[in-house]
Amino acid sequence: MKVFTTIAEVPLPTVRRALVPTMGALHEGHLSLVRRAKELGQEVAVSIFVNPTQFGPNEDYLRYPRPLERDLELCEREGVDFVFAPSVEEMYSPSPAKVQVPLVTDEFEGKLRPGHFDGVATVVAKLFGILRPDVAVFGLKDLQQCAVIQKLVNDLNLRVELAFEPTLREDSGLARSSRNVYLSDEERKVSAQIYQSLQKCRLAVLEDRNAEETIQEEISSLEAVGFKVQYLEWIDRSTFHSTRTNKENGAIVFAGYLGNTRLIDNILITA
Ligand code: AMP
């Protein structure tokens, strides 16, 4: 497996190239994307870059885990062809151009984390320019990010196929995340309730029960066990705005704090 840290080293593709963009601290969720990438491409590239421009000033950029040696071992074991792990200086000039994706960034993560999706869309556009993948694989765990990247590719006519893969969970139902290392044992147990609440809301929507009431009940029960809920909402994936009608392309999305750890999760209404 090759490891490239500069843009100049990255070869142009000669076979169908599949890319898995990550911020490292790889877990089974990331590895499930790598396995999918192996099915979709003849060559698999993983990028590992903790992108500063997608973190807010009071977020966890500095303490974000960076176990690079271990990540490289995991990639090697999965049969990744090359890893692209650049420095911040390699990626950004002093006054860099940036990409903005409107509409799907109006609410939820876009509203709560100003500038976050500009950072995401810009770094993904750059990675596509540097690595020239035929296909790129992302996780539905970050559902709004998927909507942003789909719109980026559509609106800028980027010639890359996208694959969005299901969220890998722990046995408890907790979505795997690099940020789960921040959780205490007790918080880890409590976190299992997120998925239970998502499932209850989904069922209420599917059974045409009062979704509004179920959502309010689940917010209360999450808060009762210690969550500070930022949102628990039924959304339309095409606009990423709230809906009370769209089941077909709908999802329930959640974000909240448990102690100092911010967790997000979601469930599709029809999957
Ligand atoms: P990150 O390193 O957090 O930027 O994530 C890199 C990619 O892995 C993104 O496309 C995420 O959506 C995806 N991902 C993160 N957690 C999971 C998970 N539990 N299951 C599937 N994909 C995931």
Side-chain angles (χ1 to χ4, degrees):
M1 185 181 78
K2 295 201 172 75
V3 180
F4 303 126
T5 57
T6 65
I7 295 164
E9 286 172 285
V10 177
L12 286 172
T14 53
V15 294
R16 191 173 153 82
R17 177 177 287 172
L19 169 66
V20 182
T22 81
M23 297 203 300
L26 303 180
H27 51 67
E28 276 298 316
H30 296 114
L31 301 184
S32 72
L33 305 188
V34 171
R35 288 170 201 146
R36 182 71 181 129
K38 290 194 72 139
E39 293 170 0
L40 293 171
Q42 290 161 275
E43 178 189 57
V44 173
V46 171
S47 61
I48 298 179
F49 180 59
V50 184
N51 175 33
T53 67
Q54 70 188 71
F55 287 79
N58 298 316
E59 294 182 357
D60 56 346
Y61 174 66
L62 290 175
R63 72 167 181 143
Y64 198 84
R66 291 167 170 83
L68 184 62
E69 284 308 313
R70 184 172 172 275
D71 287 347
L72 295 178
E73 273 168 37
L74 288 172
C75 287
E76 174 106 57
R77 210 181 298 162
E78 291 297 326
V80 168
D81 293 284
F82 72 86
V83 169
F84 177 58
S87 65
V88 172
E89 296 69 36
E90 182 69 9
M91 287 294 275
Y92 290 108
S93 65
S95 295
K98 67 178 179 185
V99 188
Q100 276 184 333
V101 179
L103 184 73
V104 293
T105 55
D106 289 344
E107 303 290 338
F108 307 106
E109 296 303 289
K111 198 176 215 168
L112 288 165
R113 303 181 68 189
H116 168 66
F117 285 126
D118 296 354
V120 169
T122 303
V123 81
V124 168
K126 287 169 68 70
L127 290 169
F128 288 176
I130 296 163
L131 295 153
R132 311 277 189 98
D134 296 281
V135 55
V137 187
F138 295 88
L140 288 167
K141 159 78 168 46
D142 298 285
L143 191 66
Q144 193 167 11
Q145 174 170 284
C146 293
V148 169
I149 292 161
Q150 183 71 70
K151 191 165 162 59
L152 170 79
V153 165
N154 291 350
D155 292 0
L156 296 187
N157 311 95
L158 303 181
R159 302 236 177 154
V160 53
E161 288 169 33
L162 298 174
F164 299 118
E165 295 302 311
T167 302
L168 218 96
R169 298 177 182 283
E170 295 184 2
D171 291 341
S172 68
L174 173 64
R176 303 236 177 196
S177 165
S178 304
R179 290 188 168 98
N180 291 353
V181 298
Y182 302 151
L183 297 170
S184 68
D185 290 349
E186 183 55 32
E187 288 172 335
R188 214 168 245 272
K189 273 184 215 146
V190 170
S191 301
Q193 197 171 322
I194 299 169
Y195 190 49
Q196 291 166 17
S197 290
L198 289 170
Q199 285 174 307
K200 285 183 195 162
C201 294
R202 170 177 181 266
L203 212 61
V205 168
L206 281 174
E207 294 176 351
D208 290 319
R209 285 185 277 115
N210 189 336
E212 193 68 51
E213 205 174 275
T214 308
I215 288 169
Q216 289 311 321
E217 278 169 16
E218 292 310 313
I219 290 174
S220 300
S221 67
L222 285 162
E223 293 193 330
V225 295
F227 282 97
K228 185 173 166 288
V229 177
Q230 291 187 302
Y231 57 78
L232 178 68
E233 187 51 303
W234 177 9
I235 60 101
D236 179 334
R237 288 174 66 192
S238 58
T239 57
F240 238 88
H241 291 180
S242 300
T243 181
R244 286 293 174 265
T245 51
N246 195 332
K247 293 186 192 180
E248 201 47 51
N249 199 28
I252 309 290
V253 292
F254 164 86
Y257 278 92
L258 193 56
N260 292 324
T261 308
R262 186 167 188 272
L263 297 169
I264 65 167
D265 201 353
N266 69 83
I267 192 169
L268 305 183
I269 303 291
T270 55

